[in-house]
Amino acid sequence: METIERGSSINKENLKLLITDPMDNVMLQMLQERGIKVDYKPEIDRNSLLNEISNYDVVVVRSRTKVDKEIIERGKNLKIIARAGIGLDNIDVDEAEKRGIKIVYAPGASTDSAVELTIGLMILGARPIFQGISMVKSGSFKKLPGVELAGKTIGIVGFGRIGTKVARVCQALDMKVIAYDVVDIKERAQKMGVIPVNTIDELVRESNVISFHVTVGNDAKPIVTEEHFRQMKEGTILVNTSRAIAIDGKALLKYIDERKLTLVTDVFWHEPPKEDWEIQLARHDRVLITPHIGAQTKEAQYRVAVMTTKNLIQAIQEIGVSL
Ligand code: NAD
């Protein structure tokens, strides 16, 4: 496809905006109300995107489209990248920043949905609800034992938006809540009756349930490693709705039987599981995985679309386009 060289004078009539993934209608409506024309290509493949990206000032993606270095290099007219989501895993942020491209997204828009899924997974880890339902459906009706959460200690790793709300719900369940973060959370935690701990080792040793709510980069080192699995209480339930990379999965596979650990997770190292050790872990009786559905509620998707669009409209105005 022929590419168009675009000069610096952009107005809303000639602003070129491409949406590359399926998007909630509310975004299209909000942009159209501002007179912004949209090229909506929710199934565009990578090759077509590489060919067409230089025609656009703005690209809007969800998680399917990877806006990596190559796309950014080809997008020589790109001024704004909008990610309709709460994280920027699929965007090469450094490359975009190097080229002065603005990035907008919707941090926090799916907090409540992620909190609710976390609590659901935690209860699934403590009580054999999934196993019981499957059993009854296949014609068996047997009592299955579990454990109570009340009176147990939960260690929250990452005391940000989601971690803090999970802590509140756990307090309502009469759990003792301890928390660890790389930033200073002491005052905020103590105010709400949560005990801040100074090291991950301390959290791991004291917890019956460990719930992960960290923001870490794709190449970060695991926070919980082999030495931690050895220190965990027998029967510890690990809940992860944040980033799989926070846990050393290969080491977990080695200790899951010895320490009788349970993993209930919405995130996996590869999604779907790919490496041999991931497949073994995924098939383990004490591992339950949901297919990254933490933000997949009607309400969260709507909020993500609205917040991203508001931030996008502001960014378009900041590049000098009056709307
Ligand atoms: P947030 O930024 O509000 O909080 C994250 C916290 O983690 C921060 O306080 C930060 O200091 C802390 N942290 C970072 N590195 C750490 C480390 N090594 N050890 C301990 N603490 C560390 O983020 P949030 O909105 O609460 O989201 C938390 C995570 O949940 C993110 O990774 C987000 O992508 C994920 N999330 C997943 C889903 C899903 O679909 N499963 C939905 C929403 C959010």
Side-chain angles (χ1 to χ4, degrees), residues 2-129:
E2 196 192 338
T3 57
I4 305 162
E5 284 296 337
R6 294 175 50 72
S8 56
S9 65
I10 308 173
N11 52 48
K12 75 175 165 186
E13 279 71 40
N14 68 8
L15 180 86
K16 298 277 286 171
L17 186 151
L18 172 68
I19 297 181
T20 66
D21 291 325
M23 210 59 71
D24 195 299
N25 258 339
V26 70
M27 176 181 279
L28 302 171
Q29 277 165 17
M30 285 171 75
L31 291 172
Q32 275 154 11
E33 274 163 21
R34 294 290 190 130
I36 300 169
K37 286 191 275 316
V38 171
D39 283 351
Y40 186 53
K41 301 185 180 180
E43 283 167 18
I44 190 167
D45 62 38
R46 184 169 171 87
N47 277 339
S48 311
L49 181 60
L50 280 167
N51 286 333
E52 295 179 31
I53 192 72
S54 62
N55 295 326
Y56 291 97
D57 304 295
V58 181
V59 63
V60 185
V61 304
R62 279 178 65 185
S63 55
R64 187 188 71 99
T65 305
K66 309 275 169 263
V67 188
D68 54 19
K69 190 167 183 226
E70 194 183 4
I71 299 273
I72 294 173
E73 276 169 356
R74 293 272 196 108
K76 55 184 190 315
N77 287 307
L78 271 184
K79 291 157 194 73
I80 304 169
I81 298 168
R83 152 86 164 110
I86 48 105
L88 295 172
D89 292 8
N90 53 328
I91 315 286
D92 188 334
V93 175
D94 291 343
E95 190 61 30
E97 280 175 353
K98 219 163 71 188
R99 291 165 189 268
I101 298 171
K102 286 178 185 288
I103 298 178
V104 296
Y105 65 124
S110 57
T111 297
D112 289 339
S113 295
V115 170
E116 290 173 15
L117 185 77
T118 304
I119 302 300
L121 293 182
M122 193 178 301
I123 296 174
L124 279 182
R127 306 291 295 273
I129 297 171

Side-chain angles (χ1 to χ4, degrees), residues 273-293:
K274 185 171 130 193
E275 309 278 340
D276 281 352
W277 65 265
E278 287 179 278
I279 293 166
Q280 273 188 60
L281 198 56
R283 288 183 181 157
H284 196 286
D285 282 350
R286 276 195 310 276
V287 175
L288 294 174
I289 309 165
T290 47
H292 210 140
I293 54 169

